[in-house]
């Protein structure tokens, strides 16, 4: 069983449509794939409609959070997408991405970059708009060679010259909301230090006490030492350990199934969830 629990589509900052994504996941030999777009579930219906036989879809989202000034991502799986409290918070974060992206365009213009909101809007399409879309505009304009190169202090990294913060949920609130919607939470790439400051272990311990289910350990942004440390932390705190690609199509270098999750851990996630069930593929459209 090959299980990849963290993938993005054009519903946020991935480049595969949800239908392309599930087809690519099946072609990559995955048995289970989670669709975890940033702050939105809008790709779920298309993914389910196109789901190939042999691939099971885990519905989810990656929620933007912040604690003590540190941004983090919380993966949420198999929650009820209609549950009003979590839905309202998800929409608040997603909707705040628009004025925030416009703010980053304004900052870039002040820095002399001829980027426009129309360009970013075209790149984002109907996806929840984020820095990778702005970064793609910078690549188109020849300002930086790749999307990753836009994530520096010169441009869009946390605290960078053109960075604007967005509304982000307190992770303790996110854990509570996801539980209330019958879902399971996994702290995404908790040791991704190249993205900025990371959350201290003591705060992860508090999250575990507050009901966090697991942490993502096998991830491209974690080196071997970080993985070993996080595995030890998970054992100490009784947290599940996952691995996943964080696939973004052509916007990142990772490939589907680059890292995977143990079937036993996947089984435990599905046993804990009550908000939604994994969807087995029936052949798709
Ligand atoms: P946002 O949610 O708009 O703040 O943008 C965050 C997204 O930017 C993440 O989900 C990643 O897809 C991407 N990202 C963050 N840091 C980097 C980086 N160093 N290189 C490439 N992409 C990044
Ligand atoms: Fe992303
Ligand atoms: Fe993330
Ligand atoms: Zn992600």
């Amino acid at each position: 069983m090959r299980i990849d629990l963290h993938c993005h589509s054009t519903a946020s900052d991935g480049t595969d449509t949800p239908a392309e994504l599930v087809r690519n996941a099946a072609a990559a030999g995955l048995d289970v794939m989670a669709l975890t777009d940033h702050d939105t579930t809008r790709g779920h219906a298309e993914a389910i409609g196109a789901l190939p036989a042999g691939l099971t879809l885990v519905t989810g989202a990656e929620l933007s959070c912040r604690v003590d000034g540190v941004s983090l991502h919380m993966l949420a799986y198999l929650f009820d997408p209609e549950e009003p409290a979590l839905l309202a918070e998800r929409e608040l974060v997603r909707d705040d991405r628009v004025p925030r992206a416009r703010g980053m365009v304004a900052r870039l213009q002040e820095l002399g970059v001829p980027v426009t909101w129309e360009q970013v809007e075209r790149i984002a399409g109907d996806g929840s708009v984020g820095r990778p879309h702005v970064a793609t505009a910078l690549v188109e304009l020849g300002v930086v060679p790749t999307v990753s190169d836009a994530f520096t202090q010169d441009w869009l990294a946390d605290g960078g010259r053109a960075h604007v913060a967005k509304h982000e949920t307190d992770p303790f609130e996110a854990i509570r909301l996801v539980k209330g919607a019958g879902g399971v939470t996994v702290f995404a790439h908790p040791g991704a230090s190249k993205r900025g400051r990371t959350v201290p272990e003591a705060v992860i311990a508090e999250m575990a006490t507050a009901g966090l289910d697991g942490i993502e350990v096998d991830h491209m942004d974690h080196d071997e030492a970080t993985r070993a440390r996080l595995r030890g932390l998970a054992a100490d705190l009784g947290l599940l350990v996952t691995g996943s690609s964080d696939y973004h199509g052509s916007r990142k270098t990772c490939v589907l199934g680059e890292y995977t999750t143990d079937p036993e851990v996947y089984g435990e996630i599905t046993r804990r969830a009550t908000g939604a069930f994994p969807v087995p593929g029936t052949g798709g459209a």
Side-chain angles (χ1 to χ4, degrees), residues 45-85:
E46 183 184 321
I48 291 168
L51 203 58
L55 179 68
T56 293
L57 183 75
V58 170
T59 53
E62 187 176 16
L63 308 175
S64 303
C65 297
R66 192 190 307 142
V67 62
D68 302 331
V70 179
S71 291
L72 69 135
H73 290 167
M74 187 68 74
L75 290 161
Y77 298 116
L78 299 172
F79 54 86
D80 173 2
E82 312 280 340
E83 191 284 319

Side-chain angles (χ1 to χ4, degrees), residues 8 13 38 62 132 246 248 252:
H8 295 268
D13 55 7
H38 297 288
E62 187 176 16
D246 203 356
H248 280 70
K252 278 196 185 177

Side-chain angles (χ1 to χ4, degrees), residues 101-118:
R102 283 178 173 275
M104 289 191 285
V105 167
R107 292 264 174 99
L108 288 165
Q109 288 171 344
E110 284 162 24
L111 292 167
V113 177
V115 62
T116 63
W117 170 244
E118 287 66 32

Side-chain angles (χ1 to χ4, degrees), residues 13 38 73 97 100 130-132 148 151 166 248 252:
D13 55 7
H38 297 288
H73 290 167
R97 286 172 163 278
R100 179 261 197 157
R131 281 182 282 173
S148 276
F151 284 86
K166 61 183 179 299
H248 280 70
K252 278 196 185 177

